[in-house]
Amino acid sequence: MNQANHSQEDARGVPVSSCQPESLDDYETALLQFHSYFGDPTETLAQTLENDPEFVMGHIFVASALLMMTERQYLPTIKQHIETAEALASKANARERQLTLAARQWMEGAWDLAGLTWDQVLMDHPRDAMALQLGHLTDFYRGDCFNLRDRVCRVMTGWDKTVPGYSYILGMQAFGFEECNQYDKAELVAMTALEMQRRDPWAIHALAHVYEMQGRFDEGQSMYHEREEDWAPDNGFAFHNWWHLALYHIEHEDFDAALELYDEQILPEDSDVSLQMLDASALLWRLHLQGIDVASRWHRIADLWTRKTDCENGYYAFNDLHAVIALVGSGNPEAANAVLAAVEAAARDNPGVTRMMAQDVGIATCRAIIDFGQQRYAEVIQQLLPIRTLAHRFGGSHAQRDILTQTLIESALRCDQHGLATNLISERRLHKPFTPLTQRFASRLAS
Ligand SMILES: [Fe+2]
């Protein structure tokens, strides 16, 4: 097959260095998979790279997509692809060299610098949909809500409905608006995205967050059920959307329905995907806080984390917290303390911002969960109260980090710190006025 020697463009007019025409087609397929979570872009491009081993964008894409898994286990593969892209630098164009640099920065723990480098790419190439999504996900993992919104807003002048993939950009923007508490805008933009492309689980997810934050749980349930074929079957992000649906059930105090979703959809079989396992752990913890016996489920999820902890401990504090949750839930404080020790080491030794995440948020949250497991509720409060409003620094969404507030309220109730419980419930009412769960906490306080 003849190698094309001239510069080419992707479907959005973004320059791509020389590659086989079929590789560029595969890149478009991979990008659609990345946007929609239907299919695996790394698998698609692995085949492409066998046929076209000097396809620079292929190497960059695989490395970057794997970085977004937030797992140490992928670093050897990531490193290989980054080094190959670096070795091909003389064939690459300026954009590809910057994308390679961003991937290296992320790999070395400088997630913040990677975010800036992707932004520099977007200044010259606002239609670089891959760079935009990588930056968007990094903003999420860093809890940078302003950039979740503004990084997308900054490139909007380069986009309109005639540009392929525009709806997915709107889906990202909708989530950014939601995390900045601009719920009306988020809903409008998500709806516009979904009118253009029904099968956009990220836009659906942005809408789910709006319903969650505004206490519109019935609407959220209806939306998920009516659109199920658009986000659920064979989708790599479905577990998280199922998780949101389970949260609605918890709000309705329908704990059996939440557990049913856990068993059948959120963790139907063993997984080694941290993003999925952390949702599973968080759901069980929320039920645990409400006094629900989740039985052997703790042991299974703890076992799944245990299989990974040797490799993953201390890599990303947000994941570590959820490993600790599962281990405490299963009644294994020794293993939970081992994860905590790794987080403490990460706070000393990790590179880049991952050290800050461990130091500023990871240690306190892990200690709090371990204390909760030992019924040391006053200590839980001592750990969580000072850092709760800084907790966005280790990433996640408002909805995910609500687990910290719920743990704090429950601890205040259990150790009779009524003033704190009253104030936290009052604050929660301000942000989420219509939640039955808040009312449940309030009733317990009253009794
Ligand atoms: Fe979410």
Side-chain angles (χ1 to χ4, degrees), residues 9 62 79 92 112 127 141 159 177 221 242 278 298-299 310 334 338 355 379 382 403 429 441 444:
E9 292 182 343
V62 172
K79 188 163 181 278
D112 48 348
R127 293 183 181 178
Y141 293 133
W159 289 84
F177 279 133
Q221 273 179 276
W242 285 118
L278 74 86
W298 276 132
H299 296 291
D310 282 349
E334 295 81 14
R355 180 172 63 232
E379 283 86 343
Q382 280 176 2
I403 197 172
R429 274 217 182 94
F441 282 124
R444 289 194 37 227

Side-chain angles (χ1 to χ4, degrees), residues 3 18 159 199 234 370 381 389 397:
Q3 188 90 356
S18 57
W159 289 84
R199 305 192 85 211
D234 299 321
I370 291 168
I381 293 166
T389 53
S397 63

Side-chain angles (χ1 to χ4, degrees), residues 59-114:
H59 290 288
I60 294 168
F61 201 150
V62 172
S64 305
L66 289 175
L67 285 168
M68 296 301 118
M69 299 298 287
T70 70
E71 296 190 36
R72 192 183 270 132
Q73 66 164 320
Y74 297 112
L75 288 184
T77 309
I78 289 164
K79 188 163 181 278
Q80 263 180 7
H81 285 287
I82 290 175
E83 287 176 351
T84 306
E86 287 169 342
L88 292 167
S90 61
K91 289 171 59 81
N93 62 32
R95 177 182 76 104
E96 291 161 348
R97 286 193 289 273
Q98 274 193 303
L99 292 172
T100 307
L101 171 64
R104 175 166 280 286
Q105 288 169 323
W106 219 99
M107 178 178 72
E108 294 178 350
W111 300 5
D112 48 348
L113 297 185

Side-chain angles (χ1 to χ4, degrees), residues 290-366:
Q290 297 307 317
I292 307 304
D293 180 8
V294 301
S296 61
R297 294 175 185 87
W298 276 132
H299 296 291
R300 178 162 163 247
I301 188 67
D303 180 52
L304 294 177
W305 280 114
T306 302
R307 292 180 203 175
K308 291 172 71 74
T309 45
D310 282 349
C311 175
E312 300 297 338
N313 274 359
Y315 180 66
Y316 177 32
F318 193 73
N319 294 351
D320 294 326
L321 167 65
H322 289 84
V324 166
I325 285 173
L327 293 164
V328 167
S330 71
N332 190 347
E334 295 81 14
N337 274 310
V339 179
L340 170 61
V343 177
E344 289 168 338
R348 291 191 304 271
D349 307 330
N350 262 23
V353 293
T354 59
R355 180 172 63 232
M356 176 279 290
M357 292 169 170
Q359 173 67 50
D360 289 6
V361 191
I363 291 174
T365 51
C366 290

Side-chain angles (χ1 to χ4, degrees), residues 74 86 102 130 138 163-164 187 224 252 256 259 279 304 332 346 358 442:
Y74 297 112
E86 287 169 342
M130 187 197 78
T138 300
V163 184
E187 184 172 4
Y224 272 131
H252 281 133
D256 288 341
L259 278 175
D279 276 348
L304 294 177
N332 190 347

Side-chain angles (χ1 to χ4, degrees), residues 246-262 283 286-294 297 437 440:
L247 294 195
Y248 300 150
H249 289 311
I250 291 179
E251 286 286 357
H252 281 133
E253 301 182 68
D254 190 349
F255 303 121
D256 288 341
L259 278 175
E260 197 177 315
L261 282 186
Y262 179 95
L283 190 72
R286 285 167 187 249
L287 292 164
H288 177 62
L289 291 176
Q290 297 307 317
I292 307 304
D293 180 8
V294 301
R297 294 175 185 87
L437 198 61
R440 187 176 163 97

Side-chain angles (χ1 to χ4, degrees), residues 140 175 205 209 237 240 243-244 397 399-400:
F140 174 72
F175 185 58
H205 168 250
H209 271 265
F237 191 55
H240 187 70
W243 179 82
H244 276 280
S397 63
Q400 284 175 309

